[in-house]
Amino acid sequence: MNSTDLPRLTVRSPADLIAAVPYLLGFHPADSVVVVALSGSRVVFAARGDLPGDLPDDVDPGEAATHIAEVTARQGADSATVIGYGPASRVTPAVDAVRVALPEAGLAVLDALRVTDGRWWSYLCTEPECCPPEGTRYDPQASTVPAAAVFAGQVALPDRAALAAQVAPAGGDAMRQATDRAERRLADLLATAPATDLLGARALRAAGAAAIRATRRRHRSGEPLTDDELAWLCLLLTHLPVRDHAWERTDGRDDDIAFWAEVLRRAEPALIAAPGSLLAFAAWRDGQGALAAVALERVLAEHPDYSLAGLLDDLLRRGVPPSRLDGWPAGGPPRELRRGRRRSRRRPR
């Protein structure tokens, strides 16, 4: 799901809305049902879910529709348009289920569309003059929306797989060797810690703070991080006080997202839990819910019990708006971050 802090995009027609969806999600959807939510005339949220045939066997399509409607209603929206991507036999049941669920969640349905092979159909309009039975051909490039989105710095990747590729592993033998060296360095650090430093906790915190400060500074200056620097940072991040020190200094800035994405890609799989969770947090804070979701999917596949990843996964599932964290951590964590991990079976992506 995505909360959308996009600049105002002028949407005058169904074709304009269809052209805007890839920039709201960050990628071009396929075999999907998408809900675009509005508060007044402003788009505030977009969520994507799989079509029923692509859902896990234990997920009921009606339950999935109810969930996406409830998540959308939490965004302060008052209306929504549903768009299904794919053949009618698969799209229609999904769109119908969401059309029923949205009013039950307190949202007016502005329109319900199906998009297939360069044409769109409306489930609500029966006038052949504007909604012919053979569908309406559209050309996204004929709309001003893509140009406005690109000018504002928005990107629409070809598909969700391209988004997942941004967090795919890019390590190798050199990083494995650097991690081995980092482990020996950590053993030396703990061995030389004063006897009064229980379990070397103070030494670890000091080394972690220094590594975070140094690597962030180098990244901001455009200097590439060495394998040894990155491996040392990732190993220190397994110490929770170091991870939390980094978390407190991570928000939704572009630099945060770029930094933690690089660390996640290059880290050894055993060490991706913290950087992947921090990337997800930064992306979620920036309204890039789809990027946060793919980062968490990678973390939880390797580390299913990592608590921070589980907590952020829960926030995404429940559609908690990133604005709930405004002012954190100065005022302490908000209620949503204190609720702990609670999984549901389905998350719009």
Side-chain angles (χ1 to χ4, degrees):
M1 66 187 68
N2 262 12
S3 96
T4 56
D5 282 333
L6 291 178
R8 293 179 182 272
L9 300 177
T10 302
V11 176
R12 298 188 177 92
S13 66
D16 281 344
L17 183 61
I18 294 166
V21 164
Y23 298 93
L24 301 176
L25 296 176
F27 60 93
H28 289 265
D31 297 322
S32 304
V33 59
V34 173
V35 174
V36 179
L38 296 91
S39 176
S41 60
R42 180 171 179 258
V43 173
V44 294
F45 185 75
R48 187 204 74 90
D50 292 327
L51 293 178
D54 297 324
L55 295 174
D57 292 339
D58 63 341
V59 177
D60 176 70
E63 180 185 335
T66 298
H67 178 66
I68 200 172
E70 290 175 347
V71 166
T72 303
R74 294 191 189 109
Q75 313 307 313
D78 47 49
S79 61
T81 291
V82 189
I83 309 175
Y85 293 80
S89 60
R90 298 182 63 211
V91 166
T92 301
V95 170
D96 285 347
V98 176
R99 284 173 56 193
V100 170
L102 285 170
E104 292 177 350
L107 295 164
V109 177
L110 299 179
D111 207 343
L113 309 173
R114 177 169 68 88
V115 178
T116 309
D117 297 332
R119 292 180 180 270
W120 63 266
W121 289 258
S122 173
Y123 289 93
L124 302 187
C125 176
T126 58
E127 298 297 329
E129 293 80 8
C130 59
C131 301
E134 69 273 15
T136 301
R137 184 167 294 281
Y138 73 96
D139 177 7
Q141 300 310 313
S143 169
T144 61
V145 170
V150 170
F151 181 77
Q154 303 301 317
V155 175
L157 297 174
D159 50 33
R160 195 172 186 271
L163 186 68
Q166 294 188 340
V167 300
D173 289 340
M175 183 55 68
R176 282 190 287 273
Q177 294 167 10
T179 301
D180 290 341
R181 291 191 293 270
E183 289 173 348
R184 292 193 293 271
R185 181 179 175 184
L186 180 61
D188 291 341
L189 175 71
L190 295 176
T192 57
T196 55
D197 185 2
L198 186 63
L199 300 178
R202 289 198 301 273
L204 281 169
R205 284 196 296 271
I212 292 164
R213 185 167 56 251
T215 52
R216 295 302 301 262
R217 185 185 301 121
R218 281 174 62 83
H219 187 268
R220 282 194 296 270
S221 69
E223 299 178 58
L225 301 180
T226 67
D227 289 342
D228 284 310
E229 287 174 317
L230 193 139
W232 180 236
L233 171 65
C234 289
L235 192 59
L236 290 168
L237 285 168
T238 63
H239 185 56
L240 290 184
V242 175
R243 193 276 316 273
D244 290 347
H245 180 81
W247 190 14
E248 291 171 359
R249 286 154 182 78
T250 297
D251 203 335
R253 299 176 294 266
D254 289 344
D255 180 69
D256 290 331
I257 295 170
F259 177 79
W260 291 116
E262 178 182 355
V263 176
L264 173 60
R265 285 194 303 269
R266 293 174 57 190
E268 280 291 276
L271 301 178
I272 67 169
S277 297
L278 293 169
L279 169 60
F281 179 76
W284 177 60
R285 285 288 284 156
D286 191 46
Q288 298 187 48
L291 177 59
V294 296
L296 290 173
E297 285 173 8
R298 183 162 176 231
V299 170
L300 291 170
E302 292 277 351
H303 305 278
D305 296 321
Y306 192 69
S307 61
L308 178 56
L311 183 148
L312 294 171
D313 185 62
D314 179 56
L315 294 178
L316 281 175
R317 288 174 185 274
R318 291 190 285 120
V320 176
S323 60
R324 295 285 180 87
L325 267 69
D326 289 348
W328 185 87
R335 175 171 52 85
E336 285 80 7
L337 289 183
R338 297 195 295 267
R339 292 181 63 175
R341 183 175 181 175
R342 186 185 68 190
R343 289 190 176 277
S344 63
R345 293 191 296 168
R346 177 72 183 144
R347 178 180 65 237
R349 294 168 294 184

